[in-house]
Amino acid sequence: MLRRYLDNAATSFPKPPGVLEAVTRYACELGASPGRGAYDEAKQAGLLFDECRERINTLINGEGPRHVVFTLNASDALNMAIRGIVHGADRTLGKPHVITTYMEHNSVLRPLNELVNRGDAEQTRIACDPVTGLVDPVDTRKAIRPNTALIAVVHGSNVTGTLQPVAEVGKIAQAHDIAFLVDAAQTLGHVPIDVRAMGIDLLAFPGHKGLLGPLGTGALYIRPGVEQRMATTREGGTGSVSDHDTQPTFMPDRFEPGSHNAPGIIGLSHGVKWILDQGVEKLWRHQRELIQIVIDRLTDMPGLTLFGPQGVEDRVGVFSIRIEGFDDPQALSDVLEKDFGLLTRSGIHCAPLAHQTIGTDQLGGTTRLSFGPFTSEADVLFVCDCLAHICQGHAARV
Ligand SMILES: Cc1ncc(COP(=O)(O)O)c(C=O)c1O
């Protein structure tokens, strides 16, 4: 049976041509640690890093490749941003206050809770619409206090696919001179992102999802100047200014202590190259065609509940469903895998408050299907047929 991968929200698969080849070429021919030697192999590896930063900076219309800081994953980037801003904030205004939403992933909720529980920060979480999952930007404005240091919003929900109005929130943050962090874990590579036009100060993203790089990669874009408001969360060797025993202040070394995941970053560079070559607008159009099929076929399917925005607007290709007769969403994932070869993810998806918002937290969550650039129309039509078959089978039994 053909197996179809529908868990691109966890990590993307397959990777485009060029990624594996780049990893192998680095491992077989260079092997050196960038910035850690003056010999040619180390220099070449350093140039490949520069190329990766440049490609990412181009993709997001950033203000400088050196402001793309490599991290282990999106969680690492989010921690760096949240802790960096909280610990770097001006305390004369009181304890730093952070505004966030109910649709956030645990990679935002947990670091923030940790800071609040330790007495280092205050937080306000904005409730979102129980059907669409959308945040009202007006609510974020109303939550601003004199000591608000950060607004953090997830661009695309990993539960409902909801695409938040980040540009509107960005304008509000800019007007109040508050750092604005966007979690682009489910959007970068799928959806066009322009950090300048959207007023984004900090963009956190994985390299291994929409950017189509290997696992163990991610980055934080820090708008030039914003790094002055941030404390470092880790210090260590950078291969630069080695005669100093304090962390360098220049970018990206300030936030990149320790040896890098060079094979991963060099592979990631080719994932981003593939996206730039295709054009993110074209990938977004393809994704929206797939979304349209799902909306047309699933919205009124008897016995099936589709969560999140019920139209093609305001969403990405991440879908949460429940089907009558499957009290445990994992039971539905098991049937989809065993009977149809469809690989999905069920449960709470590390976003307990998003599930609370849509009312599925006490039900064990939902079954999630998530698309990538290699998901075809035929795949999605097949998925819809399988779900219709399951729903009809259940209706016939009751
Ligand atoms: C919205 C969102 N934020 C953050 C993360 C964390 O990403 P990573 O696994 O790269 O740390 C995920 C992962 O699924 C996510 O969906």
Side-chain angles (χ1 to χ4, degrees):
M1 188 194 306
L2 179 63
R3 289 172 77 78
R4 288 178 169 86
Y5 184 79
L6 298 165
D7 198 15
N8 289 277
T11 198
S12 54
F13 183 78
K15 306 298 178 185
V19 172
L20 184 60
E21 291 82 347
V23 174
T24 310
R25 206 177 320 116
Y26 164 76
C28 297
E29 294 173 18
L30 295 179
S33 189
R36 301 321 197 256
Y39 45 90
D40 197 48
E41 285 78 353
K43 283 187 195 158
Q44 278 194 50
L47 290 176
L48 293 175
F49 270 34
D50 292 345
E51 192 172 50
C52 185
R53 292 187 212 274
E54 273 160 25
R55 286 172 176 160
I56 292 173
N57 188 60
T58 301
L59 181 66
I60 63 175
N61 192 28
E63 290 184 45
R66 301 194 73 74
H67 285 258
V68 175
V69 173
F70 292 130
T71 61
L72 304 172
N73 44 45
S75 306
D76 194 30
L78 289 162
N79 268 273
M80 189 183 284
I82 294 168
R83 290 174 195 274
I85 290 286
V86 165
H87 290 309
D90 174 3
R91 295 232 154 208
T92 55
L93 299 169
K95 204 184 273 189
H97 172 239
V98 181
I99 299 171
T100 188
T101 82
Y102 265 65
M103 295 305 283
E104 305 306 310
H105 189 272
N106 270 339
S107 297
V108 168
L109 300 177
R110 287 180 177 176
L112 212 39
N113 271 339
E114 180 69 16
L115 288 163
V116 170
N117 292 341
R118 282 177 177 274
D120 290 339
E122 295 172 353
Q123 66 175 326
T124 302
R125 288 182 186 142
I126 312 284
C128 296
D129 184 276
V131 175
T132 61
L134 281 163
V135 68
D136 184 344
V138 173
D139 291 339
T140 50
R141 184 166 45 71
K142 285 187 190 153
I144 292 173
R145 303 177 189 167
N147 57 335
T148 304
L150 179 69
I151 300 178
V153 175
V154 61
H155 191 197
S157 163
N158 66 315
V159 174
T160 57
T162 309
L163 203 49
Q164 299 291 8
V166 290
E168 284 179 58
V169 181
K171 275 200 198 100
I172 294 168
Q174 241 170 12
H176 291 82
D177 195 26
I178 295 167
F180 182 39
L181 165 65
V182 171
D183 172 358
Q186 297 301 336
T187 51
L188 190 59
H190 300 296
V191 183
I193 294 183
D194 180 331
V195 288
R196 299 190 212 198
M198 293 165 142
I200 298 170
D201 295 311
L202 297 153
L203 188 76
F205 48 93
H208 62 97
K209 299 190 204 248
L211 294 188
L212 308 170
L215 275 161
T217 56
L220 177 68
Y221 169 75
I222 305 176
R223 183 170 67 76
V226 174
E227 75 274 14
Q228 319 276 350
R229 302 190 204 174
M230 292 170 67
T232 51
T233 49
R234 278 193 298 252
E235 297 78 26
T238 54
S240 55
V241 288
S242 293
D243 50 334
H244 284 63
D245 63 0
T246 52
Q247 195 66 10
T249 51
F250 52 86
M251 298 290 286
D253 298 33
R254 179 164 158 73
F255 295 100
E256 281 186 10
S259 305
H260 296 85
N261 172 9
I265 291 167
I266 289 165
L268 165 63
S269 185
H270 283 261
V272 181
K273 179 182 184 309
W274 186 86
I275 292 165
L276 291 171
D277 289 347
Q278 297 290 313
V280 71
E281 302 284 348
K282 178 179 149 196
L283 299 175
W284 183 216
R285 263 198 312 280
H286 172 66
Q287 172 124 197
R288 283 169 75 89
E289 281 160 15
L290 303 183
I291 295 171
Q292 184 72 61
I293 296 173
V294 173
I295 296 292
D296 290 347
R297 295 285 306 272
L298 299 194
T299 306
D300 296 320
M301 190 176 280
L304 183 144
T305 306
L306 174 66
F307 294 89
Q310 301 290 303
V312 278
E313 296 308 316
D314 303 325
R315 66 147 50 253
V316 289
V318 176
F319 297 92
S320 260
I321 59 167
R322 286 187 63 94
I323 290 185
E324 275 172 26
F326 290 89
D327 290 342
D328 175 7
Q330 184 55 45
L332 176 58
S333 275
D334 291 344
V335 169
L336 289 171
E337 180 181 359
K338 288 196 187 76
D339 294 355
F340 304 103
L342 301 180
L343 311 186
T344 61
R345 180 170 173 209
S346 282
I348 298 292
H349 311 104
C350 302
L353 303 187
H355 278 281
Q356 197 177 312
T357 300
I358 61 171
T360 47
D361 56 319
Q362 298 302 313
L363 305 173
T366 53
T367 300
R368 183 182 75 183
L369 306 97
S370 50
F371 306 153
F374 300 107
T375 310
S376 67
E377 282 192 18
D379 290 333
V380 176
L381 288 167
F382 179 75
V383 168
C384 294
D385 285 346
C386 295
L387 294 172
H389 182 84
I390 292 170
C391 289
Q392 280 155 14
H394 175 69
R397 280 195 300 279
V398 289

